[in-house]
Amino acid sequence: MSDKDVLISMGFPTDRVDWALRATSNRGLQPAMDFILEHNDDPVPDPSAQASAPASSTSNPGEPMDEDDDDVAALRAAYGVAGASAAASGAVGADLEAKSIKCTECGKIFKNTSLANFHAEKSGHDQFEESTEEIKPLTEEEKKQKLAELREKMAEKRSKKSVEDAKEAKANEALRRKAGKDIGKAQEELKTKQILKDLEAKKREKEGDAKARAAIKAQIEADKRERLEKAAREKALREGTTLPSASSSSAAAAPTPAPQSAVSGRDFKETRLQIRLASGGQPYTTTLSSDATLREVAEFLAGQTLAFDVETVTFAQHFPRKQFTYADFGKTLRELGLTPSAVLIAS
């Protein structure tokens, strides 16, 4: 199995494997794997856009260069004069063949200058020399070991990346939940304000309807009284009799003075009333003219609550105990002895 097939079987993309093999000049499985790990996050360049660098030469024009000259020239180009001098000073004798390049700083040996360049880029070493040591190819067992090491490195790197991704996802989720909670709270506040606004509008509408119904009832009562008075006048005209005046009616209805007037000897123009409901609840307080009738008190109460009607409401007084009848609705508060103040029980 070729190096490319081994790398592809490990799960690396084909384009990234081709890139690693090109970059390492097909120097073997280990350099390709190291290159992939080193440039795992880099984008794969377009092969057609890569221009091959011209080979540098230090020999005279027209003279062929052997492999050792290429290595020295490459070292000179890569590491400058100091590197080239170190390589030249450490070159083996003319009768011995250089089979590798050795890093004098760490002692590692490399098959060619490309591998030496790759090592220099990773380690920062710049002192190399030619060596007669021969690099043996990796055995199947060594390849398997290298492959296991690579897989372990890849697994470790993926594990670290998964932990970082989990932390980032957790932070993003916390931000999302906080934003959602803030939005939900704002929506609840808007909803509560809208409910209160609707309740206030309904309350105003209900109060307006109650006042309108009370006004209509009062108008109906006034029309009813007017019709009764008109019918009474027409009847009197037909029978040839005269209607009693309001003053004479008041005098006839009240031959004796009111108890309050007898006691106090004062003529109160206004009467303050507190109307309590027999069913319980908030009492109603009003101030009327002492000449107002008990019917006007009933009309006031009907205007305050729809639970009572002018024609059906009855009034009573606890002290002194007294029950008012419908016939008393035409009498004034002064005539009924309710001035200057009184408490009535409505039922």
Side-chain angles (χ1 to χ4, degrees):
M1 182 181 293
S2 64
D3 294 341
K4 179 178 180 180
D5 296 335
V6 172
L7 293 173
I8 292 176
S9 66
M10 293 176 61
F12 294 113
T14 304
D15 56 348
R16 193 166 291 276
V17 172
D18 293 338
W19 178 32
L21 293 175
R22 287 196 307 271
T24 58
S25 302
N26 293 309
R27 295 191 299 271
L29 181 63
Q30 183 61 38
M33 290 190 294
D34 291 341
F35 185 87
I36 292 176
L37 290 177
E38 184 73 19
H39 302 278
N40 187 44
D41 298 328
D42 298 337
V44 179
D46 187 5
S48 60
Q50 293 180 337
S52 59
S56 61
S57 175
T58 57
S59 60
N60 295 329
E63 294 183 0
M65 293 179 60
D66 56 13
E67 184 178 356
D68 294 336
D69 294 336
D70 290 338
D71 293 342
V72 174
L75 287 173
R76 182 181 292 110
Y79 308 111
V81 178
S85 301
S89 62
V92 297
D95 54 341
L96 297 178
E97 182 182 359
K99 297 181 179 180
S100 62
I101 299 176
K102 183 177 182 180
C103 176
T104 59
E105 296 185 31
C106 63
K108 290 184 178 181
I109 58 175
F110 304 96
K111 185 177 181 180
N112 50 42
T113 56
S114 298
L115 291 176
N117 290 338
F118 185 73
H119 171 73
E121 292 174 0
K122 292 182 61 177
S123 63
H125 298 169
D126 59 359
Q127 299 298 325
F128 296 87
E129 65 181 4
E130 294 180 341
S131 174
T132 58
E133 297 182 37
E134 183 178 1
I135 300 177
K136 296 181 180 180
L138 294 176
T139 63
E140 292 296 328
E141 187 66 26
E142 290 175 339
K143 288 184 179 180
K144 290 180 181 180
Q145 184 178 357
K146 291 290 185 181
L147 185 59
E149 292 176 357
L150 178 60
R151 287 176 177 173
E152 184 178 354
K153 290 181 180 180
M154 290 293 296
E156 183 180 356
K157 188 172 183 178
R158 289 172 182 170
S159 177
K160 291 181 179 179
K161 191 174 186 304
S162 63
V163 171
E164 293 175 357
D165 292 343
K167 289 182 180 179
E168 184 178 358
K170 186 176 181 180
N172 293 337
E173 180 66 16
L175 292 176
R176 186 189 65 80
R177 288 183 178 181
K178 185 178 183 302
K181 188 176 181 180
D182 293 341
I183 293 175
K185 185 177 179 181
Q187 291 177 348
E188 287 295 330
E189 291 178 354
L190 290 177
K191 186 177 180 180
T192 302
K193 290 181 180 179
Q194 186 63 36
I195 291 174
L196 294 176
K197 186 178 180 180
D198 294 341
L199 290 176
E200 186 67 23
K202 288 182 179 179
K203 183 179 179 182
R204 289 195 299 268
E205 183 179 357
K206 187 176 180 180
E207 291 176 353
D209 293 342
K211 291 181 180 179
R213 286 195 293 268
I216 292 173
K217 282 188 176 183
Q219 185 63 39
I220 291 174
E221 292 299 327
D223 294 343
K224 186 176 180 180
R225 288 196 304 270
E226 185 178 355
R227 289 195 300 269
L228 290 175
E229 292 174 358
K230 183 178 180 182
R233 287 195 300 270
E234 291 177 352
K235 182 179 180 182
L237 290 175
R238 287 195 303 268
E239 294 177 354
T241 60
T242 58
L243 289 174
S245 61
S247 59
S248 61
S249 299
S250 301
T256 58
Q260 287 81 352
S261 299
V263 173
S264 63
R266 295 174 58 187
D267 186 13
F268 294 98
K269 296 182 179 180
E270 292 183 346
T271 301
R272 180 177 177 82
L273 296 176
Q274 184 183 85
I275 305 172
R276 299 179 180 177
L277 307 183
S279 58
Q282 182 70 25
Y284 297 94
T285 304
T286 183
T287 300
L288 299 175
S289 172
S290 297
D291 295 328
T293 62
L294 189 61
R295 173 178 288 276
E296 294 182 40
V297 178
E299 292 174 354
F300 165 76
L301 183 61
Q304 298 298 317
T305 174
L306 299 178
F308 293 94
D309 187 84
V310 177
E311 301 297 334
T312 58
V313 66
T314 59
F315 295 103
Q317 192 176 16
H318 284 176
F319 183 82
R321 184 174 295 277
K322 184 177 181 180
Q323 181 72 37
F324 298 98
T325 63
Y326 191 73
D328 296 325
F329 275 35
K331 297 180 181 180
T332 65
L333 302 179
R334 182 181 292 107
E335 293 171 349
L336 295 175
L338 301 177
T339 56
S341 64
V343 177
L344 298 179
I345 309 300
S347 60

